[in-house]
Amino acid sequence: SYEKADRFWQVVGETGIGYRFGKTKEERSNNKEQKTEDKVEKFTENAAEKERQARIAALKKKISLTRIEFEFDRSNLTPEARRGVEEVAHSLKELKNLDDSVRIRIEGHTDDEGEMKYNEWLSKNRANSVYKKLLELGIDSGMIEKIGHGKTRPIATNETEEGKAQNRRVEIVVE
C-alpha cells in the first residue's frame, strides 16, 4: 500500500540507511554534517532573538520607570531632570537600534494647585521641555508624542508637600 511505502521511505531517511540504495559514505556524512550545522544555526538564531527581546524589555522598563520631576509652577528642567532625560535618550537610542518601530509618549502632570486650564498648560509645557531636550540629544521627533494631563492623574496625595512634589512630573511611556 502507499502508506507502507511512504513509511518505508520515511524510515530510510530518518535512519540514514540510504546508502543501501546508492548513497556513498561521503554523501551520508555530508548530509549529517549539514543537519547538525542547520540545528546549531537555528539554536544560535533563537538564542540571539531571545537575548534581543530581553534587552528590549529591559530598556522599555528602564525608560518607563524614569520620572522627571519639576519645581513648583515651573516647566524648565532642573540639573537632575536633565540627567534623567539624558539617560532616557541614551536608552532610547539603544532601543531604536533593536526595534525601529518603538514610539514614546511624554506625559506632563501637575499637582492640584491652581486652575484646571492653567495646570493643563503647565503640564504641556513640562512635556515640551522634555521633548525639546530629547530632540537636542538626537532623538527623532517622529517617534515622540506629547500630552499634558494637568492635575487629573496624581500618583501621590496632594495633601502633603512631598506628595505634591511627586505629582509635578513628566512620565515617558514606551509603546
Side-chain angles (χ1 to χ4, degrees):
S1 78
Y2 289 115
E3 292 171 2
K4 287 181 181 177
D6 283 344
R7 179 67 186 137
F8 170 78
W9 288 110
Q10 184 181 5
V11 168
V12 167
E14 289 173 357
T15 60
I17 59 173
Y19 68 91
R20 293 184 183 168
F21 301 100
K23 286 189 177 182
T24 67
K25 189 174 186 177
E26 185 178 323
E27 289 172 329
R28 287 191 311 277
S29 177
N30 289 342
N31 191 28
K32 286 179 184 177
E33 288 173 12
Q34 184 61 44
K35 285 181 182 180
T36 302
E37 288 175 11
D38 291 346
K39 286 179 184 178
V40 168
E41 185 176 326
K42 188 173 183 176
F43 176 79
T44 304
E45 288 173 1
N46 288 341
E49 180 59 21
K50 284 181 183 178
E51 184 178 324
R52 181 180 155 277
Q53 290 298 329
R55 186 68 187 142
I56 288 171
L59 286 167
K60 285 182 176 183
K61 184 176 182 178
K62 179 180 178 183
I63 293 167
S64 295
L65 290 175
T66 303
R67 191 170 63 226
I68 298 147
E69 295 182 355
F70 291 81
E71 294 176 351
F72 175 74
D73 203 27
R74 299 278 187 254
S75 62
N76 56 318
L77 295 172
T78 64
E80 184 179 326
R82 272 191 219 98
R83 282 190 296 277
V85 175
E86 289 168 358
E87 288 176 18
V88 166
H90 177 74
S91 295
L92 279 172
K93 288 176 183 177
E94 190 176 344
L95 183 58
K96 185 76 170 168
N97 288 335
L98 295 169
D99 180 3
D100 63 355
S101 68
V102 69
R103 295 190 41 82
I104 64 166
R105 189 172 57 247
I106 302 171
E107 297 183 348
H109 302 272
T110 65
D111 59 27
D112 70 347
E113 295 291 321
E115 297 294 319
M116 182 69 84
K117 196 168 198 94
Y118 176 77
N119 281 320
E120 287 177 13
W121 173 83
L122 182 58
S123 66
K124 287 178 185 176
N125 281 349
R126 288 176 175 167
N128 200 45
S129 292
V130 172
Y131 172 79
K132 286 179 180 178
K133 186 65 177 173
L134 286 173
L135 294 182
E136 283 177 26
L137 296 168
I139 302 301
D140 178 24
S141 65
M143 66 185 288
I144 304 172
E145 177 186 0
K146 309 174 283 189
I147 298 173
H149 291 294
K151 59 183 176 181
T152 61
R153 296 186 178 181
I155 59 167
T157 182
N158 279 301
E159 301 300 317
T160 66
E161 287 305 313
E162 296 83 21
K164 287 181 181 188
Q166 290 177 28
N167 290 329
R168 296 189 296 264
R169 71 196 188 281
V170 163
E171 293 177 338
I172 299 173
V173 180
V174 182
E175 299 174 330

